[in-house]
Amino acid sequence: DGWKLSNTVEGNFNGIRYYGFPEGSCSLDSTMQNEAIQQRYTQFGWKGGYNRIKNAENKSAFNGLGAGYYHFFDRFGNSENQMEVSADGQVNLSGSLLELGLNIEHFATQFDSISAISQSYTQLRLEPRLASQWQDFKFELGLNLGYNGYTIPIKGGSDGSFFVLPAFSANYTFVPSYLSAFAQWNGRIDNTSYSELSALNPYIYPSIQQNASKYNTFELGLKGRVTQKLAFQLSASYELVDGLPLFYRDPYYADSTGTPGFSVLYDNADLLKLRGELGYLSETWNFKANVEFIHYSMDRLEAPFHLPSFTAEFSGNYPINKKLRAGARANYVGSRTAFQSELNTSLESELKGFFDLGIEATYAYNDYLGATLFFDNLLAQRYQLWLGYPVVGFQAGLQLSYRF
């Protein structure tokens, strides 16, 4: 009937140890080794939708509904609940397409040990869009507008603000299917959650300060094909960020006592990015590669702690048979600044760049059940992704998936 009902149930568990002490440190004792430095993150949830199938013969102005709920908690009794509801529709207006999206997001974080910094965020967002085309020129004019509110006892209660941010994109085709230019200007507000931050860096402190971060991104680029199977994209972007989250660790951690975790700092920043992408897709195998250069201009802090100015990624996969597919990847992450060098001259403030190799094999038992076996850091390097935390050599993992 032109509609599709989808449901996804997810569950994730991650157990870690705060092992980032050097040998001989005054903090490295049996108590810290066995109990106090252990952390466990658990998350489970559901996401579903009822949406119109693209290209279906359905004249309804309503496109669909979506909803989701996630519950997250750690070993120390801290927890987080996230909820989201969305809806969107469209109307044809004399050759142009008017779209309207509605999104409501809410999450509440409860820190068991320090209830004073427990907090919640709610964002109500409307996304009107007008899309049209004139010959080889396509454009979309829109807005991200709404209200972002928070309740944080440590900041004195509840507050919030209205926002109006741009959502503009344009595309001009020089040679159909082979070369086009694009531009976009988008703005958004992201409310950083405990679950998102711990997924990026599991070694953060069990209770951290969250923040509403504002992003404004301008981007220009070219994209196209060299051949039918080989595609490319080149782009340059400038991003203004109010409240960029950064992970920071005390550079005197070797001489201190307590949990060797990371705090989260926020600073305003301007980011200039240059990015290149290349992709090859055939009937049997595919390959992707990208490189990115980033220049950071910070407002208060000395550097974008633990963020690289250069990254490169290469990946590809090949089908062994109808059910089994093999893949390989290679990543390079450039050097990163962990802290201001003058704070502790006896410790290297720059984390060296590293090269990581990985392989994987994916087996699809049927359309619903599958498994992926992966191996990372094949060179067994001891590089530091985070200050004081060298990677624990060769790694292997198994992922099971089931769709219904």
Side-chain angles (χ1 to χ4, degrees), residues 51-201:
N51 299 285
R52 182 170 60 176
I53 300 174
K54 289 184 179 180
N55 301 322
E57 294 183 3
N58 189 326
K59 304 301 181 181
S60 173
F62 177 65
N63 282 340
L65 283 172
Y69 169 78
Y70 289 88
H71 179 66
F72 172 86
F73 60 94
D74 69 8
R75 173 183 171 270
F76 297 100
N78 307 309
S79 63
E80 188 168 81
N81 291 291
Q82 303 181 50
M83 292 160 281
E84 181 179 1
V85 177
S86 62
D88 65 278
Q90 62 184 35
V91 177
N92 285 307
L93 297 176
S94 302
S96 298
L97 186 65
L98 177 64
E99 301 174 300
L100 179 63
L102 170 65
N103 191 280
I104 302 173
E105 301 173 355
H106 173 80
F107 74 82
T109 309
Q110 179 66 43
F111 292 112
D112 184 66
S113 57
I114 311 177
S115 60
I117 62 171
S118 298
Q119 52 204 281
S120 64
Y121 285 86
T122 301
Q123 184 175 124
L124 172 63
R125 187 171 69 251
L126 287 174
E127 301 173 341
R129 304 282 192 273
L130 178 65
S132 190
Q133 180 175 356
W134 181 72
Q135 295 183 359
D136 294 323
F137 179 68
K138 296 180 181 179
F139 68 89
E140 183 177 273
L141 299 175
L143 294 172
N144 290 328
L145 54 93
Y147 179 81
N148 198 67
Y150 63 84
T151 299
I152 306 178
I154 199 173
K155 290 187 176 181
S158 301
D159 201 353
S161 60
F162 291 94
F163 60 88
V164 179
L165 296 170
F168 165 80
S169 65
N171 187 92
Y172 183 80
T173 301
F174 295 104
V175 182
S177 301
Y178 280 92
L179 183 63
S180 62
F182 65 91
Q184 57 184 13
W185 176 21
N186 290 303
R188 73 183 192 277
I189 291 181
D190 287 349
N191 296 315
T192 54
S193 68
Y194 182 33
S195 59
E196 292 171 338
L197 291 172
S198 64
L200 293 172
N201 182 355

Side-chain angles (χ1 to χ4, degrees), residues 175-301:
V175 182
S177 301
Y178 280 92
L179 183 63
S180 62
F182 65 91
Q184 57 184 13
W185 176 21
N186 290 303
R188 73 183 192 277
I189 291 181
D190 287 349
N191 296 315
T192 54
S193 68
Y194 182 33
S195 59
E196 292 171 338
L197 291 172
S198 64
L200 293 172
N201 182 355
Y203 306 107
I204 60 175
Y205 284 115
S207 53
I208 45 88
Q209 183 63 47
Q210 296 157 254
N211 189 64
S213 301
K214 179 181 176 182
Y215 295 80
N216 255 304
T217 305
F218 311 83
E219 184 177 18
L220 297 171
L222 292 171
K223 60 182 178 181
R225 297 180 180 276
V226 180
T227 67
Q228 283 289 339
K229 297 179 180 180
L230 184 62
F232 72 92
Q233 180 168 306
L234 301 172
S235 64
S237 65
Y238 187 70
E239 188 169 48
L240 305 174
V241 186
D242 294 342
L244 179 68
L246 301 166
F247 298 108
Y248 183 79
R249 187 181 185 189
D250 180 3
Y252 286 97
Y253 64 87
D255 303 317
S256 64
T257 59
T259 303
F262 288 78
S263 57
V264 181
L265 306 179
Y266 296 91
D267 192 17
N268 298 338
D270 298 348
L271 283 66
L272 176 62
K273 301 180 181 180
L274 300 176
R275 182 178 176 87
E277 301 177 40
L278 192 66
Y280 181 86
L281 178 62
S282 71
E283 295 78 8
T284 54
W285 65 281
N286 63 71
F287 168 82
K288 294 188 297 182
N290 67 73
V291 295
E292 186 171 55
F293 299 86
I294 307 176
H295 174 73
Y296 301 87
S297 296
M298 309 303 297
D299 183 20
R300 295 179 297 102
L301 300 176

